[in-house]
């Protein structure tokens, strides 16, 4: 294998010295060059942006696709750079099941025909959901993913390089400080005990050697300071671009809300259309407006009643001279308003009808109390 042994050894040495410097800084045994306050604020803002963007991205994925297995499958398709297959939504599956069931029950039956119609609208709802997922993935998820996998990786790489430049700078500072201390010591303590010329030569050589080391350390420090300043400027420019990222994500957020608004409006429209169609179906159960509002069905006007139908005034009702009967109450019944009479199961009351009265209702009397009662709650006695 062809590789440069010297370069490998040099890289290993640099890594070791940086590790030593980093460890000594953590232990408080070495000085650390602090970044300026503006750059520190930019770094904190970038970290905050990354963390929240990642959380919003993950949770939006869960909102659009709650199935974790489906999300993992889509993740692998993306990594393999393959097109994600179109996935049928749960609403479309439900609609298909309803229509298949209608074919087995009989599409001409009331239940079967209703299943067909509801299944059709469930499939429409599923189609709207699929469009919403696709639109949101393009307009919202993709820009967030591009930031996390593109811009943030670049920022992280430059930050690591800045940290390495700072460690190199502090190593050079420590080396220069050590060389200056050694030089000062060599100049301050010459060997005067020996008068032989050889000792003076050695003392002069040591001073020159440490002076050379100081000059070399100063030159390395200047180079390290230049590289650190250059890298700090590059990192600062990248971090200041986070403001542009916020503007872009703000625009994407508006598009996401617009997609949601369109989706829910379509769902509301589909359900209103479905309710209207079900109300027009013969022999099918359609919920009346009074019941859908939480009011008992007994308050609804009788079928076929004209808009000018006048409500029965119980106080004006007089029992006919003939035609009254006894009736046994089958179930408890709570009066919906003052025109009705509350009933208790198994009690006996007097009932009669009036001309033009709804056949589903009778007038019931219990002592001095009287009011309308539903026929289905009574067993008429002879």
């Amino acid at each position: 294998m062809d590789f440069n042994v010297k370069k490998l050894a040099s890289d290993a040495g640099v890594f070791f010295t940086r590790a030593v410097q980093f460890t000594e800084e953590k232990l408080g045994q070495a000085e650390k060059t602090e970044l300026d306050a503006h750059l520190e604020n930019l770094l904190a803002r970038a970290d905050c942006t990354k963390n929240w963007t990642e959380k919003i991205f993950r949770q939006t994925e869960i909102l659009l696709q709650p199935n974790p297995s489906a999300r993992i499958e889509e993740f692998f398709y993306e990594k393999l750079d393959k097109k994600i297959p179109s996935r049928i939504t749960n609403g479309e599956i439900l609609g298909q099941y309803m229509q298949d069931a209608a074919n087995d029950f009989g599409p001409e039956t009331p239940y079967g025909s209703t299943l067909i119609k509801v299944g059709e609208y469930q499939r429409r709802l599923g189609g709207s959901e699929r469009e919403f997922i696709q639109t949101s993935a393009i307009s919202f998820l993709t820009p967030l993913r591009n930031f996390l996998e593109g811009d943030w990786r670049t920022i992280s790489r430059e930050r690591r390089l800045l940290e390495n430049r700072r460690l190199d700078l502090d190593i050079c500072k420590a080396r220069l400080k050590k060389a200056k201390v050694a030089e000062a010591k060599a100049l301050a303590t010459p060997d005067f005990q020996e008068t032989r010329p050889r000792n003076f030569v050695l003392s002069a050589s040591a001073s020159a050697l440490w002076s050379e080391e100081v000059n070399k350390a100063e030159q390395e420090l200047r180079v390290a300071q230049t590289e650190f300043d250059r890298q700090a400027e590059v990192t600062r420019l990248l971090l200041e671009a986070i403001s542009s990222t916020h503007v872009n994500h703000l625009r994407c957020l508006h598009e996401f809300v617009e997609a949601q608004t369109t989706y829910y409006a379509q769902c509301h429209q589909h359900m209103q259309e479905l309710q209207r169609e079900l109300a027009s179906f013969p022999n099918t159960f359609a919920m009346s407006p009074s019941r859908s509002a939480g009011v008992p069905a007994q308050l609804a006007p009788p079928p076929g009643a004209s808009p000018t139908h006048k409500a029965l005034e119980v106080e004006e009702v007089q029992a006919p001279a003939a035609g009254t009967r006894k009736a046994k109450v089958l179930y408890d019944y709570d009066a919906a308003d003052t025109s009705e009479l509350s009933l208790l199961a198994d009690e006996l009351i007097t009932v009669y009808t009036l001309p033009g009265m709804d056949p589903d209702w009778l007038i019931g009397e219990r002592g001095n109390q009287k009011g309308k009662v539903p026929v289905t709650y009574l067993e008429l006695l002879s």
Side-chain angles (χ1 to χ4, degrees):
M1 182 180 293
D2 184 18
F3 62 91
N4 193 328
V5 178
K6 291 184 178 180
K7 185 177 184 302
L8 182 62
S10 176
D11 292 342
V14 170
F15 176 80
F16 178 75
T17 54
R18 288 173 179 171
V20 171
Q21 176 68 23
F22 180 80
T23 305
E24 290 179 348
E25 289 175 357
K26 291 298 182 182
L27 297 175
Q29 299 175 356
E31 297 180 358
K32 176 182 177 181
T33 300
E34 299 294 339
L35 303 177
D36 62 87
H38 178 61
L39 188 56
E40 288 285 1
N41 291 334
L42 290 176
L43 289 171
R45 185 166 179 250
D47 288 332
C48 183
T49 300
K50 182 261 182 183
N51 292 335
W52 284 113
T53 300
E54 195 170 41
K55 289 180 180 180
I56 292 173
F57 175 79
R58 299 303 176 196
Q59 193 59 38
T60 306
E61 277 190 325
I62 295 174
L63 173 68
L64 299 179
Q65 179 51 265
N67 189 346
S69 300
R71 293 200 303 272
I72 294 174
E73 180 182 353
E74 293 175 359
F75 173 79
F76 280 113
Y77 272 105
E78 291 175 358
K79 293 304 178 183
L80 296 175
D81 199 19
K82 292 186 177 181
K83 183 180 179 181
I84 300 176
S86 179
R87 191 184 303 276
I88 189 171
T89 63
N90 293 326
E92 292 173 310
I93 296 175
L94 175 60
Q96 186 62 50
Y97 285 171
M98 287 183 173
Q99 292 181 336
D100 293 343
N103 293 330
D104 285 344
F105 296 151
E108 296 82 10
T109 63
Y111 186 35
S113 60
T114 304
L115 276 174
I116 290 177
K117 181 56 64 176
V118 175
E120 175 188 346
Y121 277 87
Q122 290 299 325
R123 297 182 70 171
R124 292 185 185 181
L125 292 173
S128 298
E129 181 184 1
R130 188 174 62 253
E131 293 178 2
F132 166 63
I133 292 174
Q134 293 174 350
T135 302
S136 300
I138 295 173
S139 63
F140 190 60
L141 283 183
T142 299
L144 298 185
R145 183 188 295 111
N146 291 340
F147 168 73
L148 294 172
E149 297 181 356
D151 296 347
W152 182 253
R153 288 185 178 179
T154 302
I155 292 174
S156 299
R157 183 174 62 250
E158 297 301 328
R159 285 180 66 177
R160 288 193 299 269
L161 187 56
L162 176 63
E163 180 66 11
N164 290 337
R165 294 289 180 263
R166 186 197 63 77
L167 289 172
D168 293 341
L169 176 61
D170 289 334
I171 291 171
C172 291
K173 288 181 179 180
R175 188 176 298 161
L176 176 60
K177 183 178 180 181
K178 182 178 179 180
K180 285 184 176 181
V181 169
E183 180 187 27
K185 185 177 179 181
L187 293 175
T189 58
D191 189 2
F192 294 110
Q193 301 298 325
E194 296 289 342
T195 57
R196 289 176 295 180
R198 178 174 177 274
N199 293 326
F200 289 104
V201 173
L202 291 176
S203 178
S205 299
S207 299
L209 178 62
W210 284 115
S211 297
E212 184 179 350
E213 286 294 329
V214 169
N215 293 334
K216 181 179 179 182
E218 288 177 345
Q219 183 179 0
E220 291 177 351
L221 178 61
R222 286 193 294 270
V223 174
Q225 185 69 54
T226 302
E227 292 181 351
F228 171 76
D229 293 340
R230 183 186 300 114
Q231 185 59 36
E233 181 65 17
V234 172
T235 306
R236 183 185 63 80
L237 293 175
L238 288 174
L239 294 175
E240 288 178 346
I242 291 291
S243 298
S244 300
T245 300
H246 286 187
V247 174
N248 183 38
H249 289 180
L250 174 62
R251 177 183 57 81
C252 297
L253 183 61
H254 279 280
E255 293 181 3
F256 176 64
V257 173
E258 184 67 26
Q260 276 188 313
T261 303
T262 302
Y263 167 59
Y264 289 121
Q266 289 177 348
C267 292
H268 182 65
Q269 179 182 356
H270 291 328
M271 294 311 299
Q272 284 187 320
E273 293 175 358
L274 176 59
Q275 281 187 319
R276 285 195 296 268
E277 295 202 24
L278 290 183
S280 65
F281 272 29
N283 300 324
T284 59
F285 176 78
M287 187 174 292
S288 65
S290 60
R291 177 165 297 187
S292 63
V295 181
Q298 289 81 359
L299 289 179
S306 63
T308 59
H309 179 75
K310 181 180 179 181
L312 177 65
E313 297 292 342
V314 179
E315 293 78 4
E316 302 175 0
V317 173
Q318 298 293 331
T324 61
R325 301 177 63 180
K326 291 291 183 179
K328 179 181 178 181
V329 179
L330 299 177
Y331 319 102
D332 291 345
Y333 176 75
D334 293 329
D337 57 25
T338 57
S339 68
E340 299 179 4
L341 179 66
S342 296
L343 304 175
L344 295 176
D346 297 329
E347 71 173 330
L348 295 177
I349 62 173
T350 301
V351 295
Y352 52 88
T353 186
L354 296 175
M357 188 175 176
D358 184 359
D360 293 334
W361 293 82
L362 295 172
I363 301 297
E365 288 189 359
R366 183 199 307 111
N368 295 328
Q369 298 177 340
K370 60 183 175 180
K372 295 189 299 180
V373 293
V375 175
T376 54
Y377 281 71
L378 305 173
E379 178 185 354
L380 299 177
L381 304 178
S382 57

